[in-house]
Amino acid sequence: MNDRYVYEYALLRVVPRIERGECVNAGVLVYCRHRSFVTARTHLDEARLLALDPGADLPGVRAALRAVEGVCAGGNAAGQAAGDDAGRRFRWLIAPRSTIVQPGPVHTGLTADPAAEAERLLDLLVR
């Protein structure tokens, strides 16, 4: 019996000045279809962001990251996406956008525990 399942993940990047092409990794989105699981784990290194752009809107970035976490959580925190399944919420969050918080490319892997994988990826790629 296979106890590992395919999951997808994407980094959340803060791009304070699009014209410079610089970014700070600030979170990770993890989706596992088999488990109907989607989560966002975030960590904003404010000093690092301010090194790229001393005028960065920290409260705005924090609010955008909280909004992504809310969409993943579902329920009232998801706003219009509240009725969507985990896969649809993930697909909406990874759609390209030109805002200060942007998703990176989607990657895949195998895991027995998608929640633990989200923590591992946050530690590996963000913190």
Side-chain angles (χ1 to χ4, degrees):
M1 177 179 233
N2 185 1
D3 60 345
R4 295 187 330 156
Y5 305 101
V6 173
Y7 73 95
E8 300 173 69
Y9 73 94
L11 284 171
L12 292 173
R13 298 174 174 164
V14 178
V15 184
R17 294 177 57 196
I18 193 74
E19 68 277 7
R20 292 184 58 136
E22 299 169 330
C23 66
V24 173
N25 292 344
V28 63
L29 296 165
V30 173
Y31 169 60
C32 180
R33 188 178 122 203
H34 180 79
R35 297 268 180 100
S36 296
F37 176 88
V38 65
T39 193
R41 297 288 295 126
T42 64
H43 172 80
L44 181 60
D45 185 335
E46 294 179 1
R48 197 174 201 185
L49 178 57
L50 291 173
L52 290 181
D53 182 3
D57 178 10
L58 293 177
V61 171
R62 285 191 296 268
L65 292 171
R66 280 192 308 272
V68 170
E69 291 171 340
V71 169
C72 286
N76 291 339
Q80 292 180 337
D84 292 342
D85 64 30
R88 189 171 174 120
R89 292 194 314 270
F90 178 74
R91 297 285 172 240
W92 183 78
L93 289 167
I94 63 167
R97 52 185 45 91
S98 56
T99 60
I100 194 166
V101 176
Q102 300 178 7
V106 176
H107 305 281
T108 61
L110 293 172
T111 187
D113 184 349
E117 196 64 31
E119 280 299 320
R120 185 187 77 78
L121 290 169
L122 186 71
D123 286 340
L124 178 68
L125 303 172
V126 178
R127 290 190 178 135

